[in-house]
Amino acid sequence: MKIVTERAGQHEAPQILLVDDEEDILPEYQDFLELEGFESAMCSNPEEAAQIALDHPSIGLVITDLRMGKLDGASLIRRLRAMLPRGRHVEFIILTGDATSHVNDDIAHIPVFIKPADTDALVAEIRSALARTQ
Amino acid sequence: MTIGMRLVPVNRQARDIVIALVLGAAGFLLNMLEFQLGWGLHFIFGNALIFAFIRALRPQSLMLAASVSSLRSVFLWKHPWAWLIWTIEAGFIAYLSRKKASPVRVDVLFWVLIGTPLLIISYGMVMDMDRLSLLLVIAKQATNGVLNVVLGEIIYLAALSLKAPGQRSDWPKMPIESFLMSLLLAIILIPTTAYLYIDAPSREQAARARVEDALQKRLQITGAIVGTWVQSRADVLGMFVDGQLAFSKAGADGLPESLGREFAGASVVDKTGATLWATASSGIPHSALQKLASEYAGSGKRVHLAAIRGDGKTSEQRPVLVIPFEAIGRPAAIIAPLRQGALQRLLSETDGQAAQDTFLTHDFAHFLPLSQADPASVRNLQGIPESVRRSALNSNLVISNVAYGNAIMSDLRDARMVRASAVAGLPDWAVFSVSSLAPEVLKGREGQLHLFTALCTFALLVALFASFLSKRTELSFRQLAQSAADLAVLGTRREKIDSLVVAELNEISGKIASAGSTVSRERGALASYQRRLDSIAKHAPIIVYALDVRDHKKAELTYVSEALETILGYSRGEAATAGWWSHAIHPEDYDRCLAVFGNLQAGRVVEAEYRLRHKLGHYVWVYDTLAVEANSAPGQCEAVGVVIDISDRKAAAEQLMQADKMASLGRMISGTAHELNQPLNFIKVAATNLREHARRGRLDADRFIARLDNILSHVNRASAIILQMRVFGRIPRETPSPVDLKATVDAVLTMVTPQLELDGTRVDTSECGSGVKVRALAILLEQVFLNLILNANDAIRARHNAGDPKEGCIKVSVARREWLARVTIEDNGIGLSSDILPLIFEPFFTTKLPKEGTGLGLSISYGIVRDLGGTIRAENTPQGARFTIDLPLAE
């Protein structure tokens, strides 16, 4: 958590919040997004992720895992959507290792990437999502 | 009898009466041929003919026949008693023998209980027979009666033996008791009777000769004494009278003392009747003197003994000695009457014995007893006609006073033998002697009594012995017959051998014959059955074998079917060699099979699956089941077993198990994939970053190495996940060993946790005790637990899918229960519906959709647990379902 907030603090205007309860991979994700030219914030605790997104209006895209210990990705998406102030729009991308996971109708339109994800497609999707928010 | 039966077939009762009468008449005729056994004893055998029909005639008819036949005794012995007793005897036997009693035994009983008392009453009391004769009559009648029954039985046996087979099958066979008794008694009675018949006349003759001899001697002695005495007294009287006349004495002096003792007096009378000289009155009337003188006076006449009637006081004849005499040139006669008892005195002084029952007779008209005579015997003598009396001079004469009936028995007892002889010098006189036969008869009868008593005793003993023996024999025969009957199949047509006349033997022979035909039929059936069995054993794809069991272990192979060669390649001979089995069995299976087959108890069925080496070298999986049965020999058993080639089944089972594992893998695939995707994702992202950094020339070695280390650690993590899946790749080949159940559960949980986490199912292992070990293959146990846990998870998911969001929980426990290890796996899923509960361990039973399950999991788990000697059962709990596995603890 600490790491995340510090990192969030490092970058003035993070565009992307990445939520995954597997902490090991978060620095790699951040490095990956940075190399692609995106400012990002990392969060390993899905329960705090919504608040971080609310705190940083610059965040236009949340990439989340689905299967997480405390709160699953779908719930996070629904919670964040419910909390967003009027006029603010956040795009979502699901990045999961579970190929069989069932996704409910209300989030069915959200693009899903199966781990290990096709990086080029993922970057393309991030760009188009961010373009939609601006 | 055949004729009689054919002639009168109409009315049974009338026919019987006619038969009885004909039979009685025949018996009567036969009775005419009596057997003389001496001393007046007769055996008659007519009733034997009647007794031959004891089994063929009704009792009344038999009695009638016997009464007709026995009538002969009335004519023979002139009294009805024998007839009465014999008729009763026939009735007694006829009625009692109907109840299967032996006629001989019944007859013996009759003579003991009825015949003897009747004889005592009739012969002894009514006819007043003397004791010896009575005893003899009893013994003789009893012997005769028993002999008749014995002869009857023998005639019946002969009739049974001789009759044409198939005819008269209604004639009952003879029981062994009757057979034995008849035979034993016939052996002793018939020769004895025959001997008596031959011997008796000569004995009787000898006895008569002895009596006659005595008579003759008596006659000679008496004759000589009397003759001599008459001559000497004539001389003495002549001389005395001569002297008296010479002295012209008137005779008043009387006779001298020596003569006076014998003569009452003497007179000399001349031919004219004038008394020339006389002593005092001699008690003879003068007229008689004159008559005698006129008859005997004169020379040339011989001395004469006259018998004259007394002077009126007594009617007795008085002997008078008449001596021709020449008195004073005139022919005269000395007439001297003998004193009373003078002759007797004379004889008793010389030889008393010889004078007994001896008489002097003049012209066979008068009898002068020469001894103290029984008046009755004198009367008897006088009762004999004169002509007969005269014949006594030439031959013996037997006389008898008939006091009771005309029975020869009675005659003989009182019979007397009479003989006469002339007296020297007394031509008109004869000595007449009577001797009783009684002593000889009694002596003979005593001998007979001994003989017949012995015979009766023998008959009694034989009856007892034969009864006893035949009871024993009958029992043995019955057992034999029972054994034979046991051999014969129920309902077999009864075979008969008609020539056997003994009932028991006949019955046994019939049963043995039936048994024989049964056995031969059964043997045929057995042979065909054997052929069929051989054919089945030869063509069936199973090995049938039989072996002896010794010390509860497999011993010699006694039979093995030909399929052995087809299945295992060995010939029968090779398999029969000692130790073949131990060498052919797979070494890994040896100990296990030894435990199964090493303790063979009668009545048990043991089974095992193991591998046997084919003759070509490869192993064949077989199922071997052996039923042990007690042998007839004590302590020994034999066993029949079947060996089935189960290689295909084993292969199929392995494939099924593999299929089940693959199915389990499918059920875990999402969890496993997720688990694997995590490291792969890391590797991909990190590798992508490194490539990008490298492309941009930012080659910071320290950062690179750190990130590569991270990559490698994630590779290891992926490998570890794959390694956990080993259960899916391996086919169990190792041998069972003690396995810690908790460790096994943990291994399984490692595999399934990703999937359970994915499904949000919690696992509770708080009650998993460690150190509980069972002997098993860990990989098989893992398969069981994996199946059960995945099933539990499926049940929970099914509940979730049904809309119940309650957290899923699987509780696994491992515990030790006495001699068992118990593993329970409980879930809070949907539970098992009662209608599928009995089916869940069936192969291919599944409640899942075709893609979701094979239906093999529980069936295979059941098989694995059963093979380990354990049990598995399922039940519903308030929360969901519970599976309980009990396994034997490893020592």
Side-chain angles (χ1 to χ4, degrees):
Chain A
M1 192 55 221
K2 251 184 176 175
I3 299 164
V4 176
T5 42
E6 275 173 14
R7 278 177 186 164
Q10 261 179 350
H11 309 280
E12 285 299 316
Q15 301 164 277
I16 301 166
L17 176 62
L18 201 144
V19 187
D20 196 320
D21 63 347
E22 194 173 350
E23 283 184 29
D24 284 4
I25 199 166
L26 291 180
E28 292 294 340
Y29 278 143
Q30 197 161 30
D31 192 20
F32 171 74
L33 291 173
E34 201 179 305
L35 285 170
E36 292 294 336
F38 301 114
E39 287 298 321
S40 63
M42 298 289 135
C43 175
S44 64
N45 187 346
E47 285 181 330
E48 293 174 4
Q51 194 57 50
I52 291 169
L54 287 177
D55 290 349
H56 296 81
S58 59
I59 290 173
L61 172 64
V62 174
I63 302 173
T64 178
D65 194 1
L66 273 183
R67 274 187 65 197
M68 289 178 292
K70 294 171 179 168
L71 188 71
D72 68 280
S75 303
L76 171 63
I77 291 167
R78 285 188 205 99
R79 185 187 288 186
L80 185 54
R81 275 182 173 169
M83 289 165 72
L84 278 176
R86 185 174 288 272
R88 178 149 179 219
H89 180 72
V90 175
E91 286 286 321
F92 292 94
I93 291 174
I94 294 171
L95 183 59
T96 178
D98 184 3
T100 60
S101 284
H102 180 72
V103 186
N104 283 347
D105 286 347
D106 57 334
I107 54 170
H109 61 282
I110 295 171
V112 176
F113 286 82
I114 303 296
K115 292 177 187 174
D118 178 342
T119 46
D120 291 345
L122 179 62
V123 168
E125 185 60 41
I126 291 171
R127 286 190 201 288
S128 78
L130 285 177
R132 280 195 296 277
T133 59
Q134 280 156 10
Chain B
M1 278 322 298
T2 310
I3 296 161
M5 287 173 94
R6 281 185 189 156
L7 280 178
V8 199
V10 199
N11 180 318
R12 199 187 156 197
Q13 201 162 358
R15 193 193 68 176
D16 273 13
I17 290 172
V18 171
I19 291 169
L21 289 175
V22 171
L23 199 60
F28 185 90
L29 289 175
L30 201 60
N31 271 338
M32 308 269 272
L33 306 169
E34 73 257 17
F35 256 45
Q36 286 276 5
L37 300 185
W39 320 115
L41 285 184
H42 294 94
F43 260 25
I44 54 179
F45 298 111
N47 283 9
L49 189 65
I50 316 296
F51 290 139
F53 289 83
I54 287 170
R55 292 179 183 79
L57 282 183
R58 292 188 307 154
Q60 305 94 301
S61 308
L62 194 86
M63 234 176 132
L64 178 65
S67 73
V68 173
S69 165
S70 302
L71 276 177
R72 167 66 184 150
S73 72
V74 179
F75 295 104
L76 191 62
W77 297 324
K78 305 194 172 52
H79 63 75
W81 303 114
W83 171 80
L84 183 71
I85 292 170
W86 287 356
T87 306
I88 294 172
E89 179 191 12
F92 189 81
I93 296 172
Y95 279 101
L96 281 192
S97 297
R98 280 161 73 86
K99 292 167 188 166
K100 296 229 166 186
S102 158
V104 180
R105 187 154 53 93
V106 173
D107 196 41
V108 170
L109 197 68
F110 168 84
W111 284 110
V112 171
L113 295 181
I114 301 173
T116 304
L118 278 178
L119 281 172
I120 291 170
I121 292 167
S122 58
Y123 281 63
M125 291 159 81
V126 178
M127 279 161 57
D128 194 27
M129 188 176 264
D130 64 293
R131 197 160 141 261
L132 177 70
S133 302
L134 181 63
L135 288 175
L136 183 58
V137 163
I138 291 170
K140 175 253 159 185
Q141 291 287 54
T143 310
N144 195 172
V146 172
L147 181 58
N148 277 346
V149 178
V150 167
L151 286 174
E153 293 283 84
I154 289 170
I155 294 170
Y156 184 72
L157 274 178
L160 271 184
S161 313
L162 291 176
K163 78 189 166 67
Q167 274 188 333
R168 302 280 148 68
S169 54
D170 57 325
W171 283 16
K173 306 283 182 180
M174 185 175 290
I176 186 75
E177 185 187 7
S178 302
F179 184 76
L180 277 177
M181 278 193 199
S182 305
L183 227 57
L184 286 172
L185 286 173
I187 285 169
I188 191 75
L189 290 183
I190 294 173
T192 312
T193 310
Y195 169 75
L196 278 179
Y197 175 66
I198 295 162
D199 185 53
S202 61
R203 277 175 175 273
E204 201 175 326
Q205 201 53 50
R208 282 165 193 264
R210 278 197 295 281
V211 176
E212 187 190 348
D213 208 33
L215 269 180
Q216 287 283 12
K217 281 181 181 139
R218 198 190 289 173
L219 286 173
Q220 274 173 19
I221 294 164
T222 315
I225 291 170
V226 171
T228 315
W229 178 79
V230 165
Q231 217 52 60
S232 70
R233 284 301 170 270
D235 289 346
V236 171
L237 272 172
M239 283 159 65
F240 173 70
V241 172
D242 247 352
Q244 290 291 316
L245 285 174
F247 293 104
S248 300
K249 281 188 180 167
D253 289 351
L255 291 172
E257 199 191 335
S258 62
L259 285 172
R261 277 210 306 272
E262 292 169 342
F263 296 98
S267 305
V268 179
V269 184
D270 73 359
K271 206 163 177 125
T272 60
T275 302
L276 304 179
W277 177 86
T279 59
S281 171
S282 58
I284 294 173
H286 192 251
S287 60
L289 290 176
Q290 282 180 325
K291 189 170 173 277
L292 282 169
S294 66
E295 206 169 328
Y296 295 104
S299 58
K301 299 281 184 182
R302 300 188 63 175
V303 177
H304 183 73
L305 192 65
I308 54 166
R309 194 165 288 275
D311 52 7
K313 278 183 191 161
T314 61
S315 58
E316 239 175 80
Q317 292 282 333
R318 278 187 74 184
V320 178
L321 194 63
V322 183
I323 307 153
F325 191 68
E326 198 74 31
I328 327 154
R330 283 189 300 191
I334 304 170
I335 297 168
L338 272 64
R339 277 193 189 278
Q340 192 84 33
L343 277 174
Q344 286 93 322
R345 235 180 354 264
L346 166 76
L347 283 166
S348 65
E349 276 165 12
T350 47
D351 191 342
Q353 284 299 312
Q356 256 183 4
D357 285 321
T358 305
F359 306 87
L360 265 179
T361 178
H362 179 252
D363 239 5
F364 293 98
H366 308 293
F367 293 95
L368 293 174
L370 292 175
S371 59
Q372 288 296 329
D374 178 8
S377 66
V378 177
R379 273 199 304 278
N380 273 342
L381 281 176
Q382 277 163 346
I384 301 170
E386 199 187 311
S387 59
V388 177
R389 278 186 237 153
R390 278 185 194 283
S391 70
L393 274 174
N394 306 315
S395 63
N396 297 322
L397 195 64
V398 176
I399 56 168
S400 169
N401 64 334
V402 183
Y404 26 77
N406 272 334
I408 294 174
M409 273 294 287
S410 322
D411 292 352
L412 269 183
R413 193 190 60 170
D414 287 319
R416 288 165 170 76
M417 192 176 269
V418 180
R419 192 71 202 249
S421 75
V423 182
L426 292 172
D428 294 341
W429 289 80
V431 184
F432 206 94
S433 187
V434 179
S435 183
S436 174
L437 276 173
E440 288 292 334
V441 169
L442 288 180
K443 213 156 71 187
R445 284 185 180 173
E446 252 170 47
Q448 278 187 321
L449 180 63
H450 290 155
L451 183 69
F452 281 114
T453 308
L455 285 180
C456 286
T457 313
F458 179 78
L460 202 63
L461 286 177
V462 163
L464 285 174
F465 170 71
S467 287
F468 173 74
L469 190 71
S470 54
K471 283 277 178 293
R472 301 283 301 264
T473 319
E474 205 183 319
L475 204 69
S476 314
F477 278 171
R478 200 170 298 147
Q479 284 168 346
L480 265 177
Q482 194 54 51
S483 311
D486 288 346
L487 277 177
V489 165
L490 204 67
T492 305
R493 187 175 64 84
R494 279 208 53 180
E495 310 277 346
K496 282 192 175 175
I497 298 174
D498 268 316
S499 56
L500 284 168
V501 293
V502 176
E504 286 84 352
L505 286 177
N506 182 59
E507 194 181 344
I508 291 171
S509 71
K511 280 176 178 160
I512 288 177
S514 303
S517 68
T518 301
V519 165
S520 85
R521 201 181 58 215
E522 291 293 312
R523 191 185 294 137
L526 198 65
S528 104
Y529 185 68
Q530 182 90 46
R531 268 200 306 282
R532 225 177 303 149
L533 205 63
D534 279 350
S535 171
I536 291 169
K538 188 173 174 181
H539 296 109
I542 57 170
I543 303 166
V544 180
Y545 66 97
L547 45 77
D548 288 335
V549 175
R550 217 167 293 131
D551 299 331
H552 308 301
K553 288 187 177 63
K554 284 183 169 185
E556 281 93 45
L557 195 65
T558 53
Y559 171 80
V560 62
S561 68
E562 281 180 37
L564 174 76
E565 197 151 358
T566 323
I567 293 174
L568 291 170
Y570 298 95
S571 72
R572 295 199 205 191
E574 285 168 328
T577 54
W580 171 80
W581 186 76
S582 307
H583 284 106
I585 194 167
H586 194 288
E588 284 175 12
D589 298 336
Y590 183 79
D591 290 339
R592 182 167 54 86
C593 289
L594 205 62
V596 174
F597 294 113
N599 185 22
L600 299 175
Q601 305 281 356
R604 277 181 52 183
V605 177
V606 295
E607 55 178 16
E609 289 180 1
Y610 56 90
R611 285 158 289 178
L612 281 173
R613 196 171 58 235
H614 193 278
K615 199 178 181 184
L616 298 177
H618 62 275
Y619 279 98
V620 178
W621 267 105
V622 296
Y623 167 75
D624 185 351
T625 177
L626 191 62
V628 189
E629 279 172 8
N631 206 349
S632 51
Q636 286 211 354
C637 293
E638 56 191 5
V640 177
V642 171
V643 171
I644 303 172
D645 179 357
I646 55 164
S647 304
D648 291 347
R649 172 158 80 67
K650 278 285 172 182
E654 254 169 32
Q655 283 165 8
L656 279 182
M657 217 179 270
Q658 202 59 21
D660 174 60
K661 282 190 279 194
M662 290 307 115
S664 303
L665 187 60
R667 293 159 78 189
M668 298 193 303
I669 198 68
S670 55
T672 308
H674 181 263
E675 200 66 13
L676 272 176
N677 281 343
Q678 299 292 358
L680 285 176
N681 189 51
F682 180 92
I683 292 163
K684 180 158 190 176
V685 175
T688 308
N689 288 348
L690 281 176
R691 188 183 64 185
E692 198 56 36
H693 282 295
R695 194 181 282 162
R696 296 181 189 186
R698 298 188 226 160
L699 297 166
D700 182 346
D702 288 346
R703 279 189 68 180
F704 259 62
I705 289 166
R707 296 180 98 161
L708 285 171
D709 280 345
N710 272 345
I711 289 172
L712 285 174
S713 78
H714 277 272
V715 169
N716 285 343
R717 180 180 162 194
S719 298
I721 292 166
I722 299 300
L723 196 66
Q724 284 163 15
M725 301 295 153
R726 71 191 188 282
V727 62
F728 302 105
R730 284 222 310 272
I731 291 168
R733 288 288 185 225
E734 64 261 53
T735 51
S737 55
V739 174
D740 189 303
L741 285 174
K742 185 174 189 304
T744 313
V745 169
D746 285 347
V748 171
L749 286 177
T750 311
M751 278 186 278
V752 295
T753 300
Q755 185 67 39
L756 298 184
E757 280 179 357
L758 197 62
D759 295 326
T761 303
R762 191 167 55 84
V763 177
D764 176 0
T765 56
S766 60
E767 288 180 26
C768 278
S770 58
V772 182
K773 290 185 177 179
V774 297
R775 182 171 288 276
L777 292 178
I779 197 166
L780 292 179
L781 280 180
E782 283 174 15
Q783 192 170 355
V784 173
F785 298 152
L786 184 63
N787 268 317
L788 294 177
I789 290 171
L790 287 176
N791 278 355
N793 190 44
D794 285 347
I796 289 165
R797 275 170 54 182
R799 185 168 56 75
H800 283 166
N801 289 343
D804 184 348
K806 193 168 73 176
E807 186 194 31
C809 178
I810 298 172
K811 182 177 178 182
V812 182
S813 74
V814 175
R816 187 194 300 268
R817 288 280 177 100
E818 293 178 357
W819 302 283
L820 290 173
R822 173 167 289 182
V823 179
T824 59
I825 295 166
E826 284 178 77
D827 64 59
N828 56 356
I830 52 167
L832 299 155
S833 71
S834 60
D835 49 336
I836 65 155
L837 202 52
L839 302 171
I840 56 171
F841 294 112
E842 297 283 323
F844 300 109
F845 177 83
T846 180
T847 56
K848 300 187 178 84
L849 293 170
K851 284 182 179 174
E852 288 179 341
T854 58
L856 289 170
L858 281 178
S859 167
I860 283 172
S861 301
Y862 179 84
I864 290 169
V865 171
R866 182 201 59 201
D867 288 349
L868 291 173
T871 58
I872 177 168
R873 62 178 191 274
E875 63 202 321
N876 279 315
T877 62
Q879 289 76 37
R882 180 196 293 138
F883 282 78
T884 307
I885 300 168
D886 285 333
L887 291 167
L889 281 170
E891 296 99 88

